[in-house]
Amino acid sequence: MSDSREESLLGRLADRVATPIEDSRDACADDWIDSLSSRVRTRTIQKLSRQALRDHIPHVLSALARYIRTPVASVESAMLDHLRTHARIRRNQGYDVQEILAEFDGLAHLLDRCLLAAIENGDGEEPAPTAMGARIYARAATGMRLIAFVTIGIYRQEEDEWQRTLSGQLEDFSRVIAHELSTPLNSLLVSVNLLERETGDAPTRSVELLRSMRASLERVQGILADIRTLSLAESARAEQETIEVRTVVESLLAEMRPWAREQGVDVGLEGDVPSLLVEATPLRLALANLVSNGVKYSDRDKDRRWVKLRVEGKRHGSQDEVVVTVE
């Protein structure tokens, strides 16, 4: 068979398979929704807007039919919009991405009958040659995989955006709480310390109560420090890129110095910082924890309290390494 004749037959077969998918797209979508309703009675399917799925899934099936006729490297923007809406509906209902993929598997099974019937004998035409039928079936399967892959990407993108929003809200909340509580807390600690100095020969009970108050206030200070660390951690979640180690260290110190000064602790950077790239998030989280602990548990009996950071670059085999020391 000549190449032109083979392509012509393949085109007719593709059209023979795609046409019934387009013609029955609404009915197929309804069958699929019914199968979902019966399969997941214990989930929030009752809250699912059937019309919302009817508004989107038939368009996805039409895009699949077009893909069967003429495979393309990219997915149409209109189809992306419909898949994005579907992913949002499912995510808002609490479905994870594995459940969404299982739903698309169910849709693929419903389409199988339509595909096989059209390939074997559609509209009175002769059955398609086995090799051509296999190519068209593989084309349809690839189209369904593309739908699944695009949905996974959209779902994860939506999750990432939601996580970034949540992290931002948590970071703002942590900053506000730490800031609003630190000033009155420090004032209380100063007052307690003054009272302890003035007690002198006061009854033992009064001294014990003041010490208990100071210990409780210092514990609250530690909790506020943990909240600040949480704020830094949430801020770091958004920093996924690889950046200069100096940028990570200096931004961290700029955020922690005001709080450290309130505790009477100097936080500083010693020596030169090498020009090396690092993953921002893990380094920032580790340093936030170490510096925070250094400030919280510094010896209050010392006249001068400090936390120092040093950054060194070292060569390990064929790779550059960054060694950060917190003292």
Side-chain angles (χ1 to χ4, degrees), residues 29-90:
D30 283 337
D31 289 343
W32 180 59
I33 296 170
D34 289 339
S35 69
L36 295 181
S37 299
S38 62
R39 185 172 60 86
V40 280
R41 294 186 186 281
T42 58
R43 297 298 302 271
T44 53
I45 196 71
Q46 285 78 13
K47 298 179 182 178
L48 174 65
S49 170
R50 294 176 67 94
Q51 190 57 49
L53 286 183
R54 284 199 189 100
D55 289 341
H56 301 290
I57 296 304
H59 293 283
V60 173
L61 295 178
S62 292
L64 175 64
R66 289 192 292 275
Y67 183 88
I68 292 172
R69 286 194 178 93
T70 309
V72 291
S74 60
V75 181
E76 299 170 352
S77 60
M79 178 178 162
L80 286 176
D81 290 338
H82 291 298
L83 288 175
R84 182 174 289 106
T85 300
H86 176 259
R88 284 173 177 165
I89 291 172
R90 289 323 226 173

Side-chain angles (χ1 to χ4, degrees), residues 11-250:
R12 290 204 301 273
L13 178 58
D15 187 67
R16 198 166 91 189
V17 170
T19 298
I21 291 177
E22 287 182 323
D23 292 344
S24 62
R25 65 175 201 169
D26 293 324
C28 185
D30 283 337
D31 289 343
W32 180 59
I33 296 170
D34 289 339
S35 69
L36 295 181
S37 299
S38 62
R39 185 172 60 86
V40 280
R41 294 186 186 281
T42 58
R43 297 298 302 271
T44 53
I45 196 71
Q46 285 78 13
K47 298 179 182 178
L48 174 65
S49 170
R50 294 176 67 94
Q51 190 57 49
L53 286 183
R54 284 199 189 100
D55 289 341
H56 301 290
I57 296 304
H59 293 283
V60 173
L61 295 178
S62 292
L64 175 64
R66 289 192 292 275
Y67 183 88
I68 292 172
R69 286 194 178 93
T70 309
V72 291
S74 60
V75 181
E76 299 170 352
S77 60
M79 178 178 162
L80 286 176
D81 290 338
H82 291 298
L83 288 175
R84 182 174 289 106
T85 300
H86 176 259
R88 284 173 177 165
I89 291 172
R90 289 323 226 173
R91 186 178 63 80
N92 290 337
Q93 289 181 313
Y95 285 72
D96 59 35
V97 71
Q98 285 78 17
E99 289 173 304
I100 293 178
L101 292 180
E103 291 181 355
F104 278 124
D105 281 342
L107 182 60
H109 286 308
L110 287 175
L111 290 172
D112 274 350
R113 293 195 300 269
C114 180
L115 290 169
L116 292 174
I119 290 173
E120 291 175 356
N121 190 7
D123 296 332
E125 296 186 24
E126 293 182 3
T130 302
M132 286 190 181
R135 287 176 63 182
I136 294 298
Y137 192 86
R139 193 180 288 182
T142 300
M144 283 302 303
R145 283 199 300 274
L146 283 174
I147 290 172
F149 292 155
V150 169
T151 301
I152 291 174
I154 291 171
Y155 196 91
R156 287 178 176 167
Q157 181 182 9
E158 293 284 325
E159 282 288 302
D160 289 343
E161 290 176 0
W162 179 76
Q163 288 289 347
R164 281 194 292 272
T165 300
L166 187 62
S167 293
Q169 293 172 345
L170 183 55
E171 180 187 355
D172 292 342
F173 174 77
S174 301
R175 289 182 189 278
V176 170
I177 289 295
H179 176 74
E180 293 297 326
L181 292 181
S182 60
T183 301
L185 181 62
N186 288 334
S187 297
L188 285 171
L189 270 172
V190 170
S191 300
V192 169
N193 289 332
L194 289 174
L195 286 172
E196 281 184 314
R197 292 175 187 174
E198 294 175 0
T199 52
D201 298 328
T204 304
R205 180 60 177 164
S206 299
V207 175
E208 290 178 352
L209 287 173
L210 285 172
R211 287 176 179 172
S212 176
M213 288 173 62
R214 179 163 58 82
S216 297
L217 290 171
E218 287 175 348
R219 281 197 297 272
V220 176
Q221 272 191 327
I223 294 171
L224 284 181
D226 290 337
I227 291 175
R228 285 188 178 90
T229 302
L230 174 62
S231 174
L232 291 170
E234 288 303 318
S235 176
R237 284 164 65 95
E239 276 187 49
Q240 299 297 332
E241 74 275 15
T242 301
I243 59 177
E244 283 280 346
V245 62
R246 174 180 288 279
T247 302
V248 178
V249 174
E250 289 184 346

